[in-house]
Amino acid sequence: MQGFVDLFVLLGISSHWNVALAGPDAGLKTWGRFSKISSPGDKAFLYDTFPDNFMWSVGTAAYQVEGAFEKDGKGLSIWDTFTRGGNRKATGDVGSDSYHNIHADIRAIKQLAVSHYRFSLSWSRIFPNGTRGSYNEIGTNYYRSLIRRLKEIGVQPVVTLYHWDLPDNLQRTFGGWSNHALVNIFRDYADFCFQTFGDDVKYWITIDNPFVVAWHGYGTGVVAPGTKNDPDLPFQVGHNLLKAHAAAWHLYDRHYRPRQRGQVSMALASHWIKPSRTRRESLRECQCSLDHVLGWFARPLFTDGDYPTCMKERLGHRLPSFTPAESQQIRGTADFFALSHGAVLSFHLINDSLKFGQQEELDLRMLLHWVSAEYDRPPIYVVQSGWYVLGNTKTEDPRHMYYLKRFIVEALKSIKYDGVNVIGYTAWSLLDGFEWHREYGIRRGLYYVDFTTPDLKREPKTSATFYRKLIQRKGFPQLPEDRAAQGVFPCDFAWGVSANSIQVETTPSQFADPHVYVWNVSNKGELRRLEGYEAPPPRRTPHCADYATIRQQVEEIRQVGVSHFHFSLNWSSLVPTGRVAQPNSTLLGYYRCFTRLLLQANVTPVVTLWHHTRQRTSLPAPLYQAGRWLNRETPQAFAAYARLCYRELGSNVKLWITLNEPNDEEVGYAEGHQMLRAHALAWRAYDREFRQAQGGQVSLALHMDWVEPAFSFSREDVEPAHRVLDFRIGWFSEPVFGSGDYPVGMRSWLRQLNSLEYYLPVFNDEDRQLVSGTYDFFALSHFSTELMTHAKEDSYSYSTMLEVQPMIDTTWIMSPRPVVPWGLRKALNWVQERYRGVPVYVMANGVQEDPARFNDSLRVYYLYSYINEALKAYTLDGVNLKGYFIYALSDERDPGFGLYGNVQDETIMKASLSHYRNIIQHHGFPLQGAPAQQCPRQQQPCLGCRVLAKRPVMGFLTLVGSAVLITLGLIVYYTAKRHREYY
């Protein structure tokens, strides 16, 4: 079946795109390439694994974690002095005290099961004044011990020679990196480290993030040494950093590589940027932005030994130049591309002046592709990646965990989809510590450090558990529940489409023009209106076929191929006065015609009596003014309105929804209580007065987006998720489908709050008996999923009343709400587990997409994936699923959700419509090669039979009269034909 083949394509198969050929500005094609990749299949989560030899790492930096800033002969670094100046409040004097806690750090590294550990050497701990003459044996032994312990647990060290903590003596004596003298001083320091540790180290980083060192250390003054006010100094510093790196690389290449067989590189960090406009000039500005941050150092190393053209053109004489010999010395001095990405630079230490009017974005995958294209496909080792949480966060760090997940899956897609040679990933960082210019205001560690305890106790965070499990699985292997299901729904499954309302034009469009026309035979048969003449109004009674709007809408519904159509009536329009004795008869007749013509098109109407919306109440004005739902008379008025609809439309309608989505969070508990009574009164009225004659079914429809614990393995998050479901769904479902009362958890939670603001009404015995069991099926609307945690992350979105923090998984597709197909299956299972065996209808399920996109690929993906999850619930989980309704029919009534779009007055069929029709025709996703499901053909409605059944005498006379007229017509026709032949 083609539809099922399409499903596999949409659920994650992305075409392999070859990386563009390298060359100057080859990365410029990155933005265009990704704009052409099919969406959303390419954006969907990728279930796959990393190569077996992939390097899983975790990292730290010396000044952030070591502490012991004056212990055992260590000299001062520029950070020791920088943190004691200005208005800074904290220092890294203690940090995480790793100097005294090697055993705790090793235990944490072992628990993570990483293959590599990246750490930096404190230059001033080895050479207190920065030069070999001040050698400190005790400090050196600390690193010998650390490396030995790493080797004992099978973890390879990745050693950074310089991570921003220059010996303070070199800054005071030479002016730090602004002085060319540091090139040879650094070379000598590197020589000592290669000689001392090199036998056990296979990966070396000479200098970490030279952009931050040069731009913010010697330009903005945000980080140590805090130099500023000389706009040209950062470029001289960057010049010297490149020369120092090259000197160390050549030293290793000549003297140590043959024996030690290690690799050396420089860790380069970058943000990502996207064009603010589609013009090519914007793409050039994006390229230039990356050149000023990443290309500043990467192009000399990986391309031609010189700075990017954009930098040279814009900076002119401010940018130092390389001699041919210097270019030759620098070019090619990196054995792999060490890339840093994440919170240090992105959105934190990138100035607006370097964005050149473009928009910063967090996209590791596009950055990896750009690097691969721009620098001739080097092996890329992500040596720093991650995010952060606030400083008051303890062991529950959901935001960090989901950002880690996002970055890692982007690296996986880069390998699998884009052909980028990513060889390793480093989660940053192992421990909470001193976060540079942010001090202790944020935390980035996988392990929580309690800075208030004497031994700075370490505890694994949720992000550590996540990372450890991910490493064990080598990525994200596809589990059985993640695979697409094959199978079909039963023949009587209700396939439907929903709309909030229908277009109503109560003036018949046929026989409505009173003007008189003459037929001009000699002038191409055109009709010409006679001015001043009008025909008398027709005396015929309007027929349902007279309404062009009904015919058009029914035809649009019929073309979808559905068996059911769900729409809402307008209470305030049908009964404007609130009194059913004074209904809008014209509108009632219109709805009657609409439902009748639906039946003639073999489409079953599903009608909602009242649809709750935040924008408008749709209650009759007198009821609205008299207290709305808080008025105890409103439920009685609603029941009377329901009787009117049952009486007038019930012969055509067999599925009724009393209240659609009343469980809105803005509805108060007292209002909700009266809504439940109104529903129950309407259900009881149908059950007693109409069910036997009409044979229909009645229920209410609840909005049911799924709520998932942010940490499914944490009880502390499972309970808040259950609490939210009780308050959002159980609030209305439990009184009707369950115990006849509100959920126990909901009532006990509100009781402990002890606040009149959250008073939950009590059902008396009469109301409990009234409400309980007033259903024939469970109808739900489902659109999306959100995560819930107890850990407060954002005070704006945090629910103080429920003590929960809503959040999303950053790997989810957004439009604008998250697209999470498996959430529908979980919602259906929740209903099944709570109210076992109840028939369930998914009464609305849809996604919002740009109305201008008639090739609505996101909606197509949404349809296949969500319906497939519904199939799993039906076939695998035993959910008594009776029907599925896509939301919505048309953008005209439900903007952005429709299967039909509109351009001016023209209705356009979107691509998703034909895909939905294809699923319906195949009853789901049948196994390829399996015989087609045989369903009895639906009989076309026999209107004559209905007339005979209801009024047999009149029907008989009508049929006889029709036969006589047809016979007379045939006699006249053949008589005239013979007469013409005779002449």
Side-chain angles (χ1 to χ4, degrees):
M1 173 199 166
Q2 184 60 42
F4 195 63
V5 175
D6 292 340
L7 172 66
F8 279 105
V9 174
L10 289 162
L11 287 180
I13 301 298
S14 177
S15 299
H16 181 83
W17 292 71
N18 289 323
V19 178
L21 294 176
D25 291 341
L28 186 62
K29 298 178 182 178
T30 298
W31 292 274
R33 173 197 181 273
F34 278 89
S35 69
K36 296 174 183 177
I37 292 180
S38 62
S39 177
D42 188 76
K43 292 183 179 179
F45 191 83
L46 174 60
Y47 292 100
D48 209 331
T49 55
F50 287 85
D52 290 338
N53 60 348
F54 194 77
M55 296 187 290
W56 294 104
S57 312
V58 67
T60 58
Y63 184 76
Q64 292 185 284
V65 300
E66 280 186 7
F69 84 110
E70 286 184 319
K71 187 74 176 290
D72 295 336
K74 178 188 174 295
L76 294 178
S77 75
I78 55 175
W79 274 95
D80 292 321
T81 54
F82 177 72
T83 53
R84 285 166 169 75
N87 58 0
R88 282 165 289 278
K89 300 177 181 179
T91 72
D93 290 358
V94 177
S96 312
D97 201 21
S98 288
Y99 186 79
H100 298 110
N101 277 292
I102 285 184
H103 63 285
D105 290 355
I106 291 294
R107 182 170 61 249
I109 294 167
K110 184 177 181 180
Q111 287 174 351
L112 289 175
V114 293
S115 60
H116 292 70
Y117 174 55
R118 182 191 170 198
F119 65 94
S120 71
L121 306 175
S122 171
W123 190 343
S124 59
R125 193 177 297 282
I126 296 174
F127 294 165
N129 72 4
T131 62
R132 193 184 288 256
S134 62
Y135 169 64
N136 178 20
E137 179 73 18
I138 300 177
T140 304
N141 286 338
Y142 165 73
Y143 296 113
R144 286 193 180 105
S145 177
L146 175 59
I147 292 172
R148 185 183 70 253
R149 296 289 299 275
L150 287 171
K151 302 288 280 188
E152 288 173 356
I153 63 171
V155 173
Q156 293 294 323
V158 179
V159 179
T160 301
L161 296 175
Y162 177 71
H163 201 130
W164 307 4
D165 51 349
L166 187 72
D168 186 61
N169 180 62
L170 298 181
Q171 181 65 35
R172 288 185 290 102
T173 304
F174 299 99
W177 288 106
S178 64
N179 194 320
H180 184 269
L182 258 72
V183 172
N184 287 326
I185 293 174
F186 179 76
R187 180 186 182 278
D188 187 55
Y189 163 60
D191 184 35
F192 173 83
C193 295
F194 294 151
Q195 184 179 22
T196 304
F197 310 117
D199 289 342
D200 295 313
V201 178
K202 303 306 176 187
Y203 287 93
W204 291 96
I205 304 294
T206 55
I207 297 167
D208 181 86
N209 204 339
F211 168 83
V212 169
V213 175
W215 188 263
H216 292 295
Y218 294 84
T220 67
V222 172
V223 302
T227 304
K228 51 188 174 182
N229 300 324
D230 183 349
D232 296 341
L233 187 60
F235 305 112
Q236 183 60 52
V237 168
H239 207 63
N240 290 333
L241 289 169
L242 279 166
K243 290 181 178 180
H245 159 78
W249 186 91
H250 283 290
L251 171 72
Y252 188 86
D253 192 55
R254 294 190 191 107
H255 299 289
Y256 296 99
R257 191 189 304 275
R259 180 170 59 85
Q260 296 179 357
R261 300 185 180 278
Q263 298 186 54
V264 181
S265 191
M266 184 188 227
L268 306 181
S270 185
H271 62 309
W272 182 249
I273 198 100
K274 68 177 182 179
S276 57
R277 297 182 180 180
T278 56
R279 297 175 181 173
R280 187 166 182 82
E281 291 81 1
S282 293
L283 293 179
R284 287 286 180 188
E285 293 300 290
C286 288
Q287 181 81 1
C288 200
S289 175
L290 294 176
D291 276 344
H292 273 72
V293 178
L294 182 58
W296 180 2
F297 301 93
R299 179 156 179 166
L301 296 180
F302 290 92
T303 305
D304 56 9
D306 200 2
Y307 295 118
T309 303
C310 173
M311 287 189 73
K312 293 194 290 186
E313 290 175 349
R314 300 197 181 191
L315 295 172
H317 69 278
R318 297 175 59 196
L319 188 67
S321 59
F322 293 110
T323 66
E326 288 173 336
S327 291
Q328 185 64 29
Q329 172 79 357
I330 291 171
R331 179 184 177 186
T333 57
D335 301 318
F336 57 94
F337 199 111
L339 179 66
S340 293
H341 173 263
V344 169
L345 194 57
S346 295
F347 296 94
H348 285 256
L349 288 177
I350 180 71
N351 298 76
D352 287 341
S353 62
L354 293 177
K355 298 177 186 177
F356 302 122
Q358 310 310 305
Q359 298 176 6
E360 190 175 2
E361 194 174 49
L362 205 59
D363 198 314
L364 177 58
R365 180 183 171 190
M366 290 184 71
L367 178 60
L368 288 167
H369 181 274
W370 186 88
V371 168
S372 186
E374 188 80 0
Y375 303 115
D376 197 19
R377 293 176 53 81
I380 303 174
Y381 187 0
V382 179
V383 294
Q384 182 177 156
S385 179
W387 207 240
Y388 65 96
V389 293
L390 298 179
N392 58 1
T393 305
K394 297 187 182 300
T395 58
E396 306 287 351
D397 58 341
R399 184 163 66 166
H400 189 191
M401 183 186 79
Y402 282 107
Y403 271 104
L404 267 179
K405 180 182 178 183
R406 171 179 172 174
F407 296 145
I408 293 170
V409 81
E410 285 179 358
L412 181 61
K413 287 183 178 181
S414 190
I415 295 170
K416 299 294 183 177
Y417 290 168
D418 310 328
V420 176
N421 186 17
V422 183
I423 62 173
Y425 180 90
T426 306
W428 201 269
S429 73
L430 175 67
L431 306 167
D432 292 334
F434 181 82
E435 290 298 335
W436 309 115
H437 65 295
R438 301 291 299 272
E439 300 179 348
Y440 295 100
I442 62 173
R443 292 175 180 263
R444 298 190 64 197
L446 298 178
Y447 278 76
Y448 169 75
V449 175
D450 188 345
F451 297 111
T452 65
T453 58
D455 59 347
L456 278 71
K457 182 180 178 182
R458 285 107 160 97
E459 292 183 63
K461 298 182 186 177
T462 311
S463 55
T465 304
F466 162 78
Y467 194 49
R468 173 173 54 81
K469 291 184 176 181
L470 183 145
I471 293 171
Q472 289 173 349
R473 296 192 298 260
K474 298 182 180 179
F476 309 97
Q478 191 177 53
L479 302 176
E481 58 265 30
D482 302 322
R483 300 190 186 107
Q486 292 181 287
V488 294
F489 293 97
C491 292
D492 61 351
F493 192 76
W495 293 102
V497 60
S498 289
N500 282 341
S501 60
I502 60 172
Q503 184 178 353
V504 175
E505 293 182 9
T506 54
T507 302
S509 51
Q510 294 207 66
F511 309 105
D513 188 352
H515 296 99
V516 177
Y517 297 83
V518 295
W519 185 23
N520 189 347
V521 180
S522 62
N523 188 20
K524 300 181 181 179
E526 294 178 352
L527 290 174
R528 182 166 56 86
R529 193 171 77 184
L530 290 179
E531 300 296 337
Y533 293 90
E534 289 191 1
R539 295 181 179 179
R540 62 186 289 278
T541 302
H543 296 162
C544 291
D546 295 342
Y547 297 103
T549 54
I550 293 181
R551 296 198 311 272
Q552 178 186 345
Q553 290 177 91
V554 170
E555 177 58 21
E556 289 175 359
I557 295 165
R558 188 193 65 79
Q559 288 190 40
V560 180
V562 293
S563 59
H564 291 66
F565 177 65
H566 173 218
F567 68 98
S568 300
L569 305 178
N570 190 317
W571 184 6
S572 62
S573 297
L574 273 172
V575 190
T577 65
R579 300 179 61 184
V580 295
Q582 300 172 326
N584 184 336
S585 299
T586 304
L587 183 56
L588 262 177
Y590 187 89
Y591 283 133
R592 193 182 299 114
C593 283
F594 187 84
T595 54
R596 182 184 178 200
L597 291 183
L598 279 175
L599 285 174
Q600 290 180 16
N602 280 331
V603 177
T604 300
V606 182
V607 176
T608 287
L609 297 175
W610 184 74
H611 188 164
H612 170 74
T613 60
R614 294 184 179 181
Q615 291 77 15
R616 58 188 185 279
T617 173
S618 73
L619 287 174
L623 293 174
Y624 183 83
Q625 295 165 3
R628 294 176 288 183
W629 286 105
L630 291 175
N631 184 345
R632 287 189 63 86
E633 298 303 317
T634 301
Q636 297 292 343
F638 180 76
Y641 158 65
R643 286 187 179 91
L644 171 69
C645 296
Y646 299 152
R647 184 170 58 251
E648 298 294 331
L649 305 176
S651 60
N652 298 333
V653 179
K654 304 307 174 189
L655 284 173
W656 293 94
I657 301 294
T658 56
L659 309 176
N660 194 64
E661 300 183 352
N663 55 324
D664 186 280
E665 60 184 12
E666 292 191 1
V667 172
Y669 297 136
E671 285 182 288
H673 199 73
Q674 296 305 321
M675 289 179 183
L676 282 165
R677 293 185 67 249
H679 155 75
L681 288 169
W683 190 92
R684 299 285 180 193
Y686 190 88
D687 193 52
R688 287 194 299 263
E689 304 168 32
F690 299 94
R691 189 186 300 274
Q692 185 173 1
Q694 297 180 1
Q697 294 185 319
V698 183
S699 195
L700 78 170
L702 302 179
H703 184 96
M704 192 178 182
D705 282 350
W706 182 243
V707 177
E708 181 75 3
F711 311 113
S712 58
F713 42 84
S714 167
R715 182 177 179 181
E716 290 181 304
D717 278 357
V718 170
E719 290 178 358
H722 289 169
R723 184 186 314 139
V724 173
L725 288 170
D726 271 347
F727 272 81
R728 291 185 181 176
I729 317 300
W731 171 27
F732 270 78
S733 68
E734 193 61 20
V736 174
F737 298 89
S739 64
D741 195 4
Y742 297 115
V744 174
M746 181 181 183
R747 195 174 284 286
S748 61
W749 184 264
L750 291 176
R751 189 180 297 116
Q752 78 173 12
L753 291 179
N754 194 25
S755 171
L756 292 177
E757 181 183 357
Y758 304 121
Y759 172 71
L760 189 64
V762 177
F763 286 102
N764 57 36
D765 291 340
E766 180 182 351
D767 283 348
R768 185 190 296 266
Q769 291 178 6
L770 171 70
V771 172
S772 179
T774 54
Y775 69 91
D776 296 308
F777 53 88
F778 194 113
L780 62 91
S781 301
H782 175 89
F783 298 91
S784 186
T785 293
E786 66 179 333
L787 301 172
M788 215 56 74
T789 178
H790 73 284
K792 186 175 181 179
E793 283 277 344
D794 177 12
S795 58
Y796 178 77
S797 58
Y798 182 77
S799 171
T800 305
M801 192 266 278
L802 293 179
E803 296 181 8
V804 293
Q805 175 70 65
M807 59 179 299
I808 63 167
D809 183 335
T810 55
T811 64
W812 289 343
I813 299 171
M814 302 293 294
S815 183
R817 289 184 287 185
V819 176
V820 192
W822 51 259
L824 175 58
R825 182 181 180 186
K826 294 206 171 190
L828 292 170
N829 273 278
W830 185 91
V831 175
Q832 168 71 6
E833 291 166 6
R834 284 285 188 103
Y835 315 114
R836 192 159 299 279
V838 63
V840 184
Y841 288 87
V842 177
M843 202 55 72
N845 178 239
V847 66
Q848 189 172 9
E849 192 169 6
D850 183 357
R853 290 179 59 89
F854 299 129
N855 184 18
D856 51 343
S857 56
L858 175 60
R859 184 168 292 104
V860 173
Y861 168 81
Y862 188 98
L863 272 170
Y864 277 104
S865 52
Y866 273 78
I867 295 174
N868 198 258
E869 291 297 320
L871 179 67
K872 293 176 187 177
Y874 173 73
T875 59
L876 303 179
D877 307 331
V879 175
N880 189 13
L881 187 61
K882 292 294 186 180
Y884 172 90
F885 290 67
I886 185 67
Y887 177 82
L889 180 65
S890 171
D891 284 340
E892 186 175 12
R893 310 299 297 176
D894 304 289
F897 285 90
L899 298 174
Y900 288 97
N902 299 90
V903 177
Q904 297 178 344
D905 295 330
E906 184 180 1
T907 300
I908 308 294
M909 186 184 297
K910 297 183 184 179
S912 55
L913 190 151
S914 60
H915 283 272
Y916 186 39
R917 186 168 56 205
N918 183 50
I919 294 173
I920 294 171
Q921 289 171 349
H922 291 88
H923 307 285
F925 311 98
L927 189 67
Q928 282 188 306
Q933 186 178 24
Q934 299 300 318
C935 293
R937 296 189 62 179
Q938 191 172 9
Q939 294 183 352
Q940 296 294 324
C942 174
L943 298 182
C945 300
R946 294 181 64 187
V947 174
L948 284 170
K950 290 189 172 183
R951 299 178 181 176
V953 175
M954 182 180 175
F956 176 75
L957 293 175
T958 301
L959 289 176
V960 171
S962 299
V964 170
L965 288 174
I966 293 170
T967 303
L968 288 174
L970 291 172
I971 292 171
V972 170
Y973 171 76
Y974 284 108
T975 301
K977 184 176 180 183
R978 286 198 301 271
H979 185 70
R980 285 195 302 271
E981 290 172 352
Y982 177 77
Y983 286 99

